[in-house]
Amino acid sequence: MKMMNISDALNVIKAHQAKIPVQVIDLANELGLKVYEVPNWPDDLSGMVRKNVEATGGFDIFVNQTHAETRRRFTIAHEIAHVVLHPHLIGDGITDDALLRSGLSNDVEAQANRLAADILMPREALNSRLKMGINSVYVLATEFKVSDQAMAIRLGVAQ
Ligand SMILES: [Zn+2]
């Protein structure tokens, strides 16, 4: 399939944010990305994205199956972000290490992390909880299915 442009992709993301927690694999699939969980990767490998083998213009995402679910979800969102934001930089494929760094620049990785956080912890949904007085990192992290650390960073209360 043909890659959609960024505003189409952002609309698909928004539609998937109507329900929390965001179903990140369903989201990837709707964006034309297949997600594979890899059982035998070393712990310091988080994810990979590369053109799919059928070379139909789409991409495949690979994620370390041994990592915790919250971590896998963030990795998948990060790889989605690479495809949405800068597919032209993916080349033959990129591999993200334990800190979600690949051979790409720190700026590019930071952009991917920002979009990943935006995907999994949409501001609107988060703000509605905060307004109701729900402000526990643990409670919100559990509801949004992200790590406590990711939620603490999102809320600006990380140590
Ligand atoms: Zn990356």
Side-chain angles (χ1 to χ4, degrees):
M1 72 168 270
K2 191 175 160 294
M3 271 312 295
M4 49 180 75
N5 67 40
I6 187 161
S7 71
D8 288 345
L10 293 176
N11 282 334
V12 171
I13 290 168
K14 198 167 192 315
H16 278 261
Q17 290 173 325
K19 232 179 94 208
I20 301 297
V22 172
Q23 300 301 303
V24 74
I25 293 176
D26 290 349
L27 169 60
N29 291 340
E30 194 170 341
L31 291 169
L33 310 168
K34 285 187 191 137
V35 178
Y36 300 93
E37 302 207 327
V38 185
N40 54 356
W41 269 357
D43 188 56
D44 63 354
L45 245 175
S46 292
M48 182 170 84
V49 58
R50 69 176 187 205
K51 287 195 180 111
N52 65 16
V53 282
E54 297 91 11
T56 48
F59 292 88
D60 291 332
I61 290 172
F62 300 82
V63 63
N64 194 329
Q65 191 183 76
T66 61
H67 288 172
E69 185 182 15
T70 51
R71 190 170 173 190
R72 294 199 309 274
R73 284 167 51 77
F74 198 91
T75 299
I76 293 166
H78 177 98
E79 304 303 342
I80 290 172
H82 277 314
V83 174
V84 170
L85 296 174
H86 35 248
H88 55 288
L89 296 180
I90 294 174
D92 291 333
I94 53 177
T95 303
D96 282 291
D97 69 10
L99 298 172
L100 295 176
R101 288 182 310 210
S102 65
L104 301 178
S105 73
N106 290 339
D107 276 357
V108 165
E109 293 302 341
Q111 282 171 22
N113 281 335
R114 271 198 298 276
L115 181 55
D118 285 341
I119 288 171
L120 296 174
M121 299 169 280
R123 283 285 174 205
E124 216 171 299
L126 203 47
N127 285 340
S128 76
R129 271 71 171 176
L130 293 170
K131 270 189 205 129
M132 291 187 284
I134 303 167
N135 56 15
S136 151
V137 169
Y138 173 77
V139 168
L140 290 167
T142 302
E143 186 184 2
F144 285 72
K145 267 200 188 181
V146 297
S147 68
D148 290 356
Q149 189 197 8
M151 183 56 76
I153 292 169
R154 187 65 162 171
L155 295 174
V157 297
Q159 297 296 314

